Amino acid sequence: MKVNGIVAEYNPFHNGHAYQLQHAKEANDADYTIIVMSGNFMQRGAPALLDKFTRTKMALENGADLVLELPTRYAASSAEFFAKGSVALFDKLGVTTNLCFGSECGNIEVLSRIAEIFYTEPEPYVESLRCNMRKGMSFPIARTWALLQYAPSLSDDKDVLSSPNNILGIEYLKALMSRNSKISPFTTTRVGADYHDKRLGTNQCSAIAIRQSVAAGHDLSYLAAQMPESAYALMTDSLSHKKPLFADDFSAALQYKLLTEYSVGYDKYQDISSDLSDRIRNTLPSFAGYTSFCDLLKSKDMTYTRISRCLLHILLNMTKEEFETCKSEDYISYARVLGFRKNATPLLTEIKKNSSIPLVTSLADARQTLSPESLRMLDLDILRNQIYLGNLALKNQTEMVNEYRTPIVIV
């Protein structure tokens, strides 16, 4: 059995995602495709435009066979932990043969060479990195120069580290190396609009362009050409019934959290240094909303996205201690199913035979089968999803959806 694994957010699912699924399936002659998908919070530190079950159905109707949830602690984390959590999940399933990801580079040899240097950290490279940092360079620039100083043959590929999908791809490769995994990496060259491109093109725009069009209240018919027909129908149906969430919908909750912990600071949270904690405290009197606060805190060394992610860590109580615990548990201790295709039953059978972690299809049953530590991690994830669902209910003046009563998606 040949099984592709793809890590995704599908926020929302568009033509570029459909192309990647199909191209990877054909290139690897895959029998099945498993998606490890972020839940209701994204890596850029913002809520999902559409809830995770709607996005799961989009994926299953457009080429995916099984969708598993990437816990929020990884989904809303740095590229390193995002990749480590995802790769650990695929590795522990015991059936994944190929890890497929999109990249601007499209060259698996170049990406693998860079990943090997970053993973093994040879002393000349590390010394160059330290020297560059002492000169006042930001970490990304210092790392790029250290890489070129150590491996001049990569000079033609010096722009690789300036593109987000390349960076994430390198982290996937590092994670595979660290696990000595038998999974083979495969990259698809990203087609269509750039990751950060906010313009609506003909049929290959970015997800951010779609999100911004929705946020601006534009006529959604303009998005029909950007998405597979079924995905567009699911999105428009969802948006016709409820208003979507955006980062500023969490402004009051974030301000409350920042105020109540002002006296002790925020450096117990993941990715937050003592310097950033002090900056947050000093800037807090000017708080006027989630996104505007990110703008106030960003600097040449810390992007808006990184600040937004750090603030989300505070809001969702994602501590450094939690991440240390996850490391000791080898990152993933269960696989939660969000949905699957009926004809993927042989895949589920193979996973049950080969997986080293339990497959969770029912939250109620999980309470009887998971270890105490795994159950604690699952409960944290359910709570974070309930924070999303609670704010969604408040915004739409409806009853909050109960995570325990939401069935998995079967198509």
Side-chain angles (χ1 to χ4, degrees), residues 176-295:
L176 288 172
M177 292 173 187
S178 71
R179 303 187 68 82
N180 195 26
S181 176
K182 296 179 181 179
I183 299 174
S184 299
F186 173 82
T187 189
T188 301
T189 304
R190 183 181 174 89
V191 296
D194 180 76
Y195 178 87
H196 296 295
D197 195 335
K198 299 177 182 179
R199 298 170 298 174
L200 291 175
T202 53
N203 67 351
Q204 293 280 340
C205 73
S206 67
I208 192 171
I210 296 175
R211 293 194 301 271
Q212 295 217 343
S213 183
V214 172
H218 293 161
D219 181 355
L220 296 186
S221 63
Y222 285 103
L223 300 177
Q226 319 295 334
M227 306 170 68
E229 184 177 351
S230 62
Y232 175 74
L234 284 165
M235 182 181 75
T236 52
D237 179 66
S238 176
L239 295 176
S240 70
H241 289 93
K242 53 181 176 286
K243 301 172 186 175
L245 286 177
F246 299 100
D248 279 331
D249 291 311
F250 293 84
S251 295
L254 175 62
Q255 185 185 43
Y256 173 80
K257 193 80 158 59
L258 294 176
L259 287 170
T260 56
E261 300 191 10
Y262 176 84
S263 61
V264 295
Y266 315 102
D267 52 2
K268 73 175 182 179
Y269 295 105
Q270 178 69 4
D271 291 337
I272 297 183
S273 64
S274 58
D275 286 343
L276 178 56
S277 175
D278 289 342
R279 282 172 54 204
I280 293 172
R281 294 175 73 197
N282 293 334
T283 313
L284 188 53
S286 301
F287 187 96
Y290 199 118
T291 56
S292 62
F293 198 55
C294 291
D295 282 325

Side-chain angles (χ1 to χ4, degrees), residues 105-127:
C105 170
N107 189 322
I108 197 68
E109 287 77 21
V110 169
L111 295 175
S112 296
R113 173 63 174 141
I114 295 173
E116 182 182 19
I117 294 170
F118 287 172
Y119 174 63
T120 59
E121 294 188 322
E123 185 55 36
Y125 160 75
V126 173
E127 183 52 40

